Amino acid sequence: MTTDIYVTETFETIAQPASFPIAEVRAQFPALAESFVFFDNAAGAQVPQIVLDAVMNHLLHCNVQRGGCYPKSVEVDRVIATARAKVALLLNASEPDEVAFGMNATSFIRLVSLAIAQGLAPERNQIIVTDLDHDANVATWLALRGMGADVIFWRMRDDRRLHVEDLVPLLSERTRLVACTAVSHALGTLVDVPAVAAAAHAAGAELFVDCVHYTPHALIDVQAWGCDYLVCSGYKAFSPHMGFLWGRREKLRSLPTFREDFIPDEPPHKIEAGTFIFENVAGMAAAVDYIESLGAGLMGKGSNDPRARIVAAMTAIRDREQSLSREMLRVLNENGAIIYGEQAAEARVPTLCFNLPGVHPADVTNFMSDRGIGIRDGHMYAPRLMGRLGLAMDSGVVRASLVHYNTLDEIGRFEEALRAFQSAR
Ligand SMILES: Cc1ncc(COP(=O)(O)O)c(C=O)c1O
């Protein structure tokens, strides 16, 4: 199995599986029974049956408000508490109360950015963002410019990677926070989050990580990474639409957030204004169960430690996805595509943005769509990145984004369609 810097934990008991149980995995996702090839996972992944069951079970049996004394309401409180513990397990958070639930990632980034803006000291008012990130983690911070923040850019190099060596000279005693992604949702390129955290902390700054695109692909370990805040969207990670925010307890404690007077000024309550979607939170807990059960199957005997099961599953997923990346890179390279990201499978996830010379990206996606293949074209909500790539916002790129349940056969169908497109031109 491949080792890489993103797997920080090792468990003696983890058995090395002979092969990834792809048939068993796919059988758990009802939507994958259709012959449709789904390569648009970066926009939202499919959900396993266990998640559908959890959502339906919640709506059928405890579709009530939390905080009541009657059994159904008590059950809602239990479901939320379980989901917090499950997500904490997924992230390796030190306690469940560091996890807050809500609508989506963007609204959480806005919430944290507004809270940071409220406490900005003029002598430490600098925020560093990147030109690789999804705009949810750029525009939200740029909006603080009108509130006293000095927002500057950590730019990717011409190799289309963020290099921590380029961040270091930007950091100073004036830096309040660095906001960056763990992996590019467009190019698929990984960012060395522990190194970013170490550099930011050396300057006395905090690190906010957009983990939306990373979560389905590799192991998260907020303690080993050393970040201060991290945001995810459940719907990218085999759950229904919802989002969650993790923050170090003492950081969340000191954030000024909106809450009614009688709500305790403590995480997670101070972060969760109003009611969130309980059934989808139940679904998120089940998505972690799905990952855990994949890990348990891979480990066989010795799978008693739940975090070890998560590590086993995410290590195997990462390994499998590198094979998918390699094959996609081969197909695209052999068919004349301009690939905008990394060529090394070890340094990326199987999210690939490309163009065919002289072809409008929408022509490719429409052709694929007619052949039962779902991919996406456009700016990928990354205007700065499009600018750096010299691409127009109204055309952009083609993106094919795979996860562990995709197969080499599906890539074969994609290749066939790509060849057919090229020969029809
Ligand atoms: C990397 C990344 N960050 C942030 C977002 C925004 O997430 P949400 O739709 O949950 O607000 C997305 C959505 O595509 C994303 O891919």
Side-chain angles (χ1 to χ4, degrees), residues 42-44 103-109 132-137 181-186 210-214 231-236 241-244 380-381 399:
M103 288 301 292
N104 54 41
T106 308
S107 53
F108 272 131
I109 305 173
L132 181 68
D133 270 76
H134 188 288
D135 219 40
N137 200 30
T181 188
V183 65
S184 167
H185 69 291
D210 177 347
C211 223
V212 171
H213 190 61
Y214 182 97
V231 75
C232 289
S233 303
Y235 70 96
K236 311 277 179 157
H241 287 92
M242 55 83 73
F244 55 88
M380 306 302 139
Y381 294 81
R399 182 178 71 186

Side-chain angles (χ1 to χ4, degrees), residues 189-316:
T189 322
L190 287 155
V191 176
D192 188 350
V193 176
V196 179
H201 290 164
E206 293 177 342
L207 174 61
F208 185 102
V209 179
D210 177 347
C211 223
V212 171
H213 190 61
Y214 182 97
T215 308
H217 298 293
L219 184 69
I220 302 173
D221 186 339
V222 288
Q223 297 188 63
W225 286 6
C227 48
D228 300 288
Y229 309 95
L230 177 145
V231 75
C232 289
S233 303
Y235 70 96
K236 311 277 179 157
F238 321 117
S239 153
H241 287 92
M242 55 83 73
F244 55 88
L245 174 80
W246 166 88
R248 270 178 211 292
R249 190 181 180 81
E250 73 277 10
K251 304 283 178 189
L252 295 179
R253 261 189 151 157
S254 60
L255 277 188
T257 57
F258 167 77
R259 68 196 163 84
E260 292 92 340
D261 291 345
F262 50 85
I263 302 287
D265 192 14
E266 283 291 329
H269 314 289
K270 64 178 290 185
I271 315 290
E272 294 173 342
T275 304
F276 48 84
I277 308 172
F278 303 144
E279 61 271 27
N280 290 358
V281 166
M284 184 65 225
V288 179
D289 286 339
Y290 161 72
I291 294 169
E292 251 194 274
S293 76
L294 174 62
L298 291 164
M299 290 172 75
K301 283 188 198 136
S303 66
N304 292 336
D305 182 330
R307 180 65 186 170
R309 295 196 284 268
I310 298 283
V311 173
M314 296 314 299
T315 305

Side-chain angles (χ1 to χ4, degrees), residues 46-255:
Q46 299 302 325
V47 298
Q49 184 67 47
I50 190 178
V51 168
L52 292 172
D53 291 345
V55 174
M56 194 164 84
N57 185 57
H58 193 94
L59 288 171
L60 268 178
H61 300 297
C62 50
N63 187 22
V64 301
Q65 185 55 285
R66 63 178 165 178
C69 66
Y70 53 98
K72 284 180 186 290
S73 183
V74 171
E75 177 59 11
V76 176
D77 288 328
R78 192 198 62 77
V79 165
I80 295 169
T82 303
R84 266 192 231 292
K86 287 282 172 190
V87 171
L89 174 70
L90 182 70
L91 306 182
N92 202 26
S94 43
E95 48 179 304
D97 283 355
E98 292 182 332
V99 175
F101 294 123
M103 288 301 292
N104 54 41
T106 308
S107 53
F108 272 131
I109 305 173
R110 176 73 172 159
L111 182 149
V112 174
S113 61
L114 284 178
I116 299 259
Q118 277 184 57
L120 265 187
E123 64 282 6
R124 203 183 255 281
N125 67 343
Q126 193 172 73
I127 310 275
I128 301 181
V129 294
T130 85
D131 57 2
L132 181 68
D133 270 76
H134 188 288
D135 219 40
N137 200 30
V138 180
T140 37
W141 301 102
L142 288 173
L144 304 191
R145 276 179 172 160
M147 302 176 207
D150 170 25
V151 185
I152 63 167
F153 277 87
W154 170 21
R155 296 186 195 282
M156 65 176 191
R157 286 193 192 164
D158 291 341
D159 64 5
R160 295 168 184 150
R161 299 190 69 165
L162 288 170
H163 291 257
V164 180
E165 299 90 305
D166 301 337
L167 170 66
V168 172
L170 303 176
L171 291 160
S172 72
E173 67 287 347
R174 291 195 47 235
T175 314
R176 172 71 181 83
L177 180 136
V178 177
C180 79
T181 188
V183 65
S184 167
H185 69 291
L187 309 187
T189 322
L190 287 155
V191 176
D192 188 350
V193 176
V196 179
H201 290 164
E206 293 177 342
L207 174 61
F208 185 102
V209 179
D210 177 347
C211 223
V212 171
H213 190 61
Y214 182 97
T215 308
H217 298 293
L219 184 69
I220 302 173
D221 186 339
V222 288
Q223 297 188 63
W225 286 6
C227 48
D228 300 288
Y229 309 95
L230 177 145
V231 75
C232 289
S233 303
Y235 70 96
K236 311 277 179 157
F238 321 117
S239 153
H241 287 92
M242 55 83 73
F244 55 88
L245 174 80
W246 166 88
R248 270 178 211 292
R249 190 181 180 81
E250 73 277 10
K251 304 283 178 189
L252 295 179
R253 261 189 151 157
S254 60
L255 277 188

Side-chain angles (χ1 to χ4, degrees), residues 293-334:
S293 76
L294 174 62
L298 291 164
M299 290 172 75
K301 283 188 198 136
S303 66
N304 292 336
D305 182 330
R307 180 65 186 170
R309 295 196 284 268
I310 298 283
V311 173
M314 296 314 299
T315 305
I317 282 176
R318 172 100 182 98
D319 200 43
R320 173 173 175 79
E321 287 194 358
Q322 288 187 43
S323 318
L324 298 174
S325 288
R326 265 180 221 109
E327 185 60 2
M328 282 299 284
L329 288 162
R330 181 196 66 71
V331 167
L332 291 172
N333 282 319
E334 284 182 14

